[in-house]
Amino acid sequence: MAVDYNLIGERLKKARLAKGLTQDKLAESLNISVAYLSRIETGTTKVNLRRLSEICNLLSVSEAEIISGVSDDSQNYLNNDLSDLLKNCSPEKQRLIYKIANIISESE
């Protein structure tokens, strides 16, 4: 799976706006140029994990949420992942996964 830097940039921008920060203010906090932050938000430059972590910490969002678009806080955050996993399995494997999941759910 390829990293979609456009989506990462969009999510960072959305998180920045939700926090009420301008690009100027965030760039200043990160000690980077506004132009560089703009390129990150538009996906025209690849942000490395260290910088992504710094930005996420300042915006109070998880790196996982920015990369995947799914919040860990959501109760149903695995639904799409499970659905995708099942779609890629043979019918036999799907039945096996269902049986295992059913046993686990009944044991609670």
Side-chain angles (χ1 to χ4, degrees):
M1 175 170 81
V3 176
D4 190 336
Y5 289 97
N6 290 323
L7 273 176
I8 289 172
E10 288 174 19
R11 292 175 185 138
L12 287 171
K13 180 179 180 179
K14 183 178 176 183
R16 175 180 57 78
L17 293 173
K19 199 80 163 155
L21 292 173
T22 63
Q23 280 186 335
D24 289 328
K25 195 68 171 166
L26 182 57
E28 181 182 323
S29 298
L30 293 164
N31 198 30
I32 61 173
S33 71
V34 175
Y36 179 61
L37 179 59
S38 177
R39 289 192 307 271
I40 291 172
E41 288 187 353
T42 59
T44 55
T45 194
K46 297 177 180 178
V47 61
N48 66 45
L49 291 176
R50 183 186 58 79
R51 181 67 70 189
L52 180 64
S53 182
E54 290 174 23
I55 296 170
C56 288
N57 284 335
L58 286 171
L59 298 177
S60 302
V61 294
S62 73
E63 293 88 343
E65 183 174 349
I66 294 300
I67 293 170
S68 70
V70 179
S71 171
D72 296 347
D73 298 334
S74 168
Q75 287 184 320
N76 300 318
Y77 77 98
L78 286 177
N79 285 354
N80 290 337
D81 291 339
L82 285 171
S83 178
D84 289 344
L85 178 95
L86 289 172
K87 287 177 190 173
N88 294 321
C89 290
S90 68
E92 296 80 25
K93 286 183 180 178
Q94 288 179 4
R95 281 190 288 279
L96 179 60
I97 291 168
Y98 174 79
K99 288 177 182 179
I100 293 168
N102 199 27
I103 291 168
I104 292 169
S105 71
E106 289 176 354
S107 68
E108 291 182 18

